[in-house]
Structure formats: C-alpha cells, structure tokens
Amino acid sequence: MPTIQLLMKHTGEPLKRFPVTILADNMNSEIKAYTDRNGIVSLSEVTGSGRIFVDGHTHYQGNLDKKILIEMWS
C-alpha cells in the first residue's frame, strides 16, 4: 500500500488538501486523491510501479509499494 507525503522543502510543513494523481502501470485509469491535514495520501488499491503527478507534473516514477516523500518548493 503506497503512502505518499507532500511537504514544503524549506519549512517541512505538510501540504494540506493538495491534489495528487497516481497512474499505476497495471491499471488503465488514474486515481485522483487529496492529501489530508498531515499532507498524506494512503491508497490500498494501488500496487506495483507507476507515476505520481502533483499539480500536473511527474514528481515520482518507480515502485509504489512503499512510503514516498515528495518535497515541493512552493
């Protein structure tokens, strides 16, 4: 189960209610979700590898079966 956390790079603050899109290689459709108050998205239905998009840009590509930390500049 992937856990994705979005943080501000300089302050370490979580990005709350931020849109995240996951496109797993073994799925035909993308999954859209929003971060919670801690900047975290947890998805039980996604396995394998794929890409994570934040604000329309690819910020991660690889194995989705782990905790993924994405730090944003703004």
Side-chain angles (χ1 to χ4, degrees), residues 4-8 12-20 33-42:
I4 303 157
Q5 184 172 24
L6 300 181
L7 297 175
M8 291 293 293
E13 293 178 39
L15 292 171
K16 303 172 186 175
R17 297 174 196 83
F18 214 78
V20 176
Y34 288 88
T35 58
D36 63 11
R37 298 175 80 185
N38 298 314
I40 297 174
V41 173
S42 295

Side-chain angles (χ1 to χ4, degrees), residues 6-73:
L6 300 181
L7 297 175
M8 291 293 293
K9 191 164 189 81
H10 289 294
T11 63
E13 293 178 39
L15 292 171
K16 303 172 186 175
R17 297 174 196 83
F18 214 78
V20 176
T21 304
I22 297 99
L23 181 60
D25 293 337
N26 60 356
M27 299 177 75
N28 292 332
S29 62
E30 54 189 34
I31 297 172
K32 295 185 181 192
Y34 288 88
T35 58
D36 63 11
R37 298 175 80 185
N38 298 314
I40 297 174
V41 173
S42 295
L43 301 166
S44 60
E45 65 271 8
V46 178
T47 59
S49 62
R51 291 184 285 172
I52 298 173
F53 299 91
V54 179
D55 201 24
H57 301 283
T58 302
H59 281 271
Y60 177 82
Q61 184 170 357
N63 185 13
L64 297 174
D65 294 328
K66 61 182 182 175
K67 183 175 181 178
I68 300 163
L69 175 64
I70 298 175
E71 295 179 311
M72 306 285 292
W73 286 102

